[in-house]
Amino acid sequence: MRGKYMNLSGAEEITSCRLILRPDEKCSGLETFIWTILLKEGRKIIGHFKAQYEPEINKITLQFALDEVWQNKKYMQEALKTLTDYLFEKTDINRVEAHCNGKNKKAVAVMLKCGYQLEGQLRQAQSFGSDGEKTDIIWFALLKTDYLRKKAMADLTVDGLVITNYRESGGLPLRNIMRLPEKEAFLLAERLSTATTSRNDRYGDYFERYYQKRAATEKWLYNRFLEGGGRPKTMHPIYFVLGEHSGFQSFFGNQDKISIPLSHIDDMEVSFTPRDSMHLRSMGMTEGTVWNKKQFFRMINDSEKSVGEFIFDLPGLFHNPGSYIEVQLWNDAYLADYL
């Protein structure tokens, strides 16, 4: 299934623990594919997938159905995971998406459990039932980069977690411009506006607004951290991401990074937010979104997900799928070996 048009001619069946996904060539074409879902035992048909392929975008839109008698047995979850693995491992597909009726809680649960990211909710966007009730459409998707990143995180453990600081070209490592007197901060920003990757995105004409937003964000972070029992040694933390995120290296155009084992840091001297803290505050998500390490680890444990799954999925729950968890370090003593 490679090339401009995917071709199912001669494709083999896909098998999982309990199921077989059989390609139906008679109902398939250059851009539409059907897989029949069968039980391995007895080869009884219990459902199907329909995939619409868009070669110009290199994406597939999935539809799926399972006979009612076979529901609530995790068959669809198993089938969707099997097909997802196949599409990303054996084909060149970049994006797999699906949407469902907002009232279909089972389909929503299946998509989330299979790692698909919630991308949006279209309110009252379709009619449902004989009375034409208006219902929402819930949209999910998974990119190949998402799939590969999540796969690479599969064996993460709490004890093995690190926090990573990425340095942009021309920037200063492990510094926070908000620690400078305001006049000095603006003078430094003027120099950085021509020397760094961010340039005008942060340090140029936008810096006055950035400075105001960053100051308000750090005041909010500091107060919320204190309320949760945190013991900050500074008013202005140094920022990291949890684990690693290749997007920063791509944006900054270099491999400069510093990683610190999270196990080396006191529970009450580091905090976490589910996405970029300044964006989080700008969106009004200011309650219950700043956690110390003890609180954060409790959330992982309570989620009943693997460590990697939890870290990957959390930003998506705050409207930023495929992104990163921000980490704020409130004690410079941990930086001494890296400066």
Side-chain angles (χ1 to χ4, degrees):
M1 292 177 66
R2 294 180 180 271
K4 183 177 180 181
Y5 291 97
M6 297 196 305
N7 186 354
L8 276 177
S9 178
E12 298 180 355
E13 295 178 337
I14 314 169
T15 62
S16 64
C17 180
R18 300 179 295 169
L19 303 173
I20 297 171
L21 306 187
R22 185 180 66 197
D24 188 339
E25 295 188 39
K26 292 181 180 179
C27 297
S28 299
L30 286 176
E31 297 179 8
T32 302
F33 309 110
I34 304 293
W35 283 272
T36 302
I37 306 171
L38 307 94
L39 294 176
K40 266 187 178 179
E41 186 175 343
R43 297 182 71 89
K44 182 176 179 63
I45 295 175
I46 64 172
H48 72 273
F49 286 102
K50 179 180 178 182
Q52 188 68 37
Y53 175 49
E54 295 185 44
E56 294 80 8
I57 307 175
N58 194 21
K59 75 170 184 178
I60 272 183
T61 302
L62 285 179
Q63 295 177 315
F64 51 83
L66 194 70
D67 292 346
E68 188 173 359
V69 68
W70 302 105
Q71 294 179 13
N72 300 314
K73 302 179 187 296
K74 296 189 177 180
Y75 283 128
M76 185 50 74
Q77 182 179 334
E78 182 177 333
L80 180 58
K81 184 181 185 309
T82 300
L83 182 58
T84 301
D85 289 345
Y86 175 76
L87 291 171
F88 285 125
E89 296 283 355
K90 302 297 184 181
T91 83
D92 291 330
I93 282 295
N94 179 60
R95 174 182 169 94
V96 180
E97 65 183 26
H99 61 270
C100 67
N101 187 307
K103 291 182 175 295
N104 192 343
K105 304 304 182 185
K106 293 179 182 178
V108 170
V110 166
M111 298 298 294
L112 291 173
K113 288 177 180 177
C114 289
Y116 283 75
Q117 299 293 287
L118 174 63
E119 291 194 336
Q121 182 168 343
L122 310 182
R123 297 178 300 158
Q124 299 183 19
Q126 66 178 5
S127 297
F128 179 73
S130 57
D131 61 355
E133 179 188 2
K134 300 297 187 295
T135 61
D136 297 349
I137 299 175
I138 313 295
W139 209 277
F140 296 90
L142 195 63
L143 303 181
K144 190 155 198 167
T145 50
D146 294 337
Y147 176 84
L148 294 175
R149 180 170 169 242
K150 193 167 186 177
K151 183 179 179 181
M153 296 167 69
D155 296 328
L156 278 181
T157 64
V158 165
D159 291 339
L161 289 176
V162 299
I163 60 174
T164 304
N165 176 278
Y166 293 93
R167 177 189 176 189
E168 60 182 327
S169 299
L172 302 175
L174 301 175
R175 298 290 192 273
N176 184 333
I177 199 168
M178 303 305 296
R179 295 183 181 183
L180 296 174
E182 185 172 338
K183 185 176 180 179
E184 290 182 33
F186 275 77
L187 288 173
L188 177 59
E190 184 177 357
R191 180 174 69 80
L192 294 175
S193 69
T194 60
T196 65
T197 312
S198 296
R199 295 186 175 92
N200 284 331
D201 289 341
R202 182 182 302 172
Y203 299 120
D205 296 337
Y206 179 67
F207 184 72
E208 183 173 357
R209 180 63 179 143
Y210 172 86
Y211 186 87
Q212 294 170 352
K213 292 176 69 174
R214 177 55 67 191
T217 298
E218 294 195 348
K219 181 179 180 181
W220 163 68
L221 284 170
Y222 182 85
N223 289 334
R224 289 292 184 269
F225 187 48
L226 280 178
E227 290 170 6
R231 297 189 295 269
K233 299 299 190 293
T234 175
M235 295 284 292
H236 305 288
I238 303 299
Y239 294 90
F240 294 76
V241 300
L242 184 58
E244 297 190 358
H245 199 283
S246 60
F248 281 95
Q249 292 173 319
S250 299
F251 177 74
F252 290 150
N254 62 57
Q255 301 296 313
D256 290 350
K257 63 180 182 180
I258 295 169
S259 295
I260 302 175
L262 189 53
S263 60
H264 293 182
I265 302 172
D266 187 276
D267 290 357
M268 299 303 167
E269 294 181 342
V270 63
S271 59
F272 304 80
T273 53
R275 57 179 296 171
D276 179 277
S277 55
M278 196 156 72
H279 293 164
L280 197 67
R281 181 184 172 276
S282 294
M283 295 173 70
M285 298 181 182
T286 57
E287 298 299 325
T289 50
V290 181
W291 312 294
N292 60 48
K293 190 168 77 170
K294 184 178 293 186
Q295 293 167 329
F296 186 72
F297 282 2
R298 186 183 305 123
M299 289 166 57
I300 295 177
N301 184 66
D302 292 346
S303 74
E304 298 183 352
K305 296 181 178 181
S306 70
V307 175
E309 285 178 323
F310 180 86
I311 292 172
F312 180 84
D313 290 344
L314 186 62
L317 300 179
F318 292 83
H319 313 304
N320 203 20
S323 190
Y324 59 90
I325 294 171
E326 185 182 280
V327 182
Q328 303 89 29
L329 184 60
W330 297 91
N331 187 345
D332 289 355
Y334 300 105
L335 307 177
D337 293 337
Y338 302 92
L339 292 172

